[in-house]
Amino acid sequence: MSDQKLVDDGADSELSITLGLLNAVHGNSQLTQRSMASELGIALGLANAYLKRCVKKGLIKVNQIPPNRYSYYLTPQGFTEKARLTSEYLSSSFTFFRKARAQCTEVIEACAARGCSRVVILGVSELTEIFMLCSLESTVRIAAVVDPRHAPDSFAGAPALGSLEALEEPVDGIIVAHMRAPQQAYDEAAAWIGAGKVFHPSLLGIDACANGGAAE
């Protein structure tokens, strides 16, 4: 697996951080703790804690390079653990995809059943891509993807916007695919279009009752 950001939301975040750290050290032994944290998308203190844990477990060796600098190397045990974690990560990723694909299909079918033929997806994530795939097999069309953190003008062939207010034409519904703050995204969508027109997969753990109920 290539060096990349492997930090995900959910129960496998510890696995992802550890694997990401081992990949980062394997790719560049001269990385600083700050650059490791930046590459993994986590706080410096958290990167430091995971690094110390890996050193204590014998996965990473630290050498001091004067003046006051350090280099990091994977030990043979570290290489073995990296291979094991990679296999575990891929297995959990495939399991997540199968579960997500089934739920996204159900959401798209629910949109169609309620007559929502033109919808917008709120949030750019792995789920967004799966929703885009599922929509190709239905009459539901994705009018746009909305996420203020997504800089490009398009995502998977659909317009990418910074806010719901930027929509130039009305939509029938909103699908929540935001994985970092799903409840907040749902609440904003419900306030904007009405809870009855907001759809989301159950794996996001959204509490629809907080806004009088919503479709799934």
Side-chain angles (χ1 to χ4, degrees):
M1 178 176 292
S2 61
D3 298 342
Q4 58 181 309
K5 184 183 293 184
L6 292 171
V7 181
D8 300 323
D9 301 292
D12 66 338
S13 60
E14 181 175 346
L15 180 156
S16 299
I17 294 173
T18 302
L19 178 56
L21 185 61
L22 295 178
N23 274 324
V25 170
H26 181 212
N28 184 0
S29 63
Q30 304 303 313
L31 280 176
T32 65
Q33 291 187 26
R34 189 172 299 279
S35 61
M36 289 180 193
S38 177
E39 182 171 334
L40 296 174
I42 60 177
L44 178 59
L46 186 60
N48 178 265
Y50 272 84
L51 181 59
K52 287 182 177 179
R53 184 183 303 177
C54 287
V55 171
K56 185 176 181 179
K57 288 183 177 180
L59 306 180
I60 293 175
K61 181 179 179 181
V62 184
N63 289 335
Q64 185 170 2
I65 305 176
N68 198 31
R69 292 189 61 186
Y70 300 88
S71 60
Y72 306 91
Y73 301 92
L74 290 189
T75 64
Q77 184 180 347
F79 278 104
T80 300
E81 182 67 358
K82 185 170 80 73
R84 186 189 72 80
L85 291 179
T86 297
S87 177
E88 185 176 341
Y89 178 83
L90 290 175
S91 177
S92 65
S93 295
F94 288 137
T95 299
F96 168 79
F97 178 82
R98 288 194 295 269
K99 181 178 181 180
R101 179 65 185 261
Q103 292 192 17
C104 288
T105 297
E106 292 177 358
V107 169
I108 292 293
E109 291 175 348
C111 289
R114 294 205 180 187
C116 299
S117 59
R118 179 180 165 83
V119 303
V120 62
I121 298 179
L122 196 57
V124 170
S125 69
E126 290 86 349
L127 282 178
T128 310
E129 299 182 46
I130 298 174
F131 272 122
M132 300 292 285
L133 290 173
C134 293
S135 68
L136 297 176
E137 303 172 358
S138 75
T139 59
V140 176
R141 292 294 170 261
I142 309 301
V145 175
V146 175
D147 191 326
R149 300 182 306 168
H150 189 68
D153 295 328
S154 64
F155 181 84
L161 307 174
S163 67
L164 290 169
E165 287 71 19
L167 286 168
E168 296 182 354
E169 297 181 15
V171 294
D172 304 312
I174 297 176
I175 294 175
V176 177
H178 204 303
M179 296 184 69
R180 290 189 177 276
Q183 187 65 51
Q184 179 181 345
Y186 169 81
D187 292 342
E188 292 176 357
W192 194 79
I193 199 173
K197 293 185 177 181
V198 181
F199 303 81
H200 58 87
S202 59
L203 61 83
L204 289 180
I206 292 172
D207 181 8
C209 296
N211 278 280
E216 292 189 13

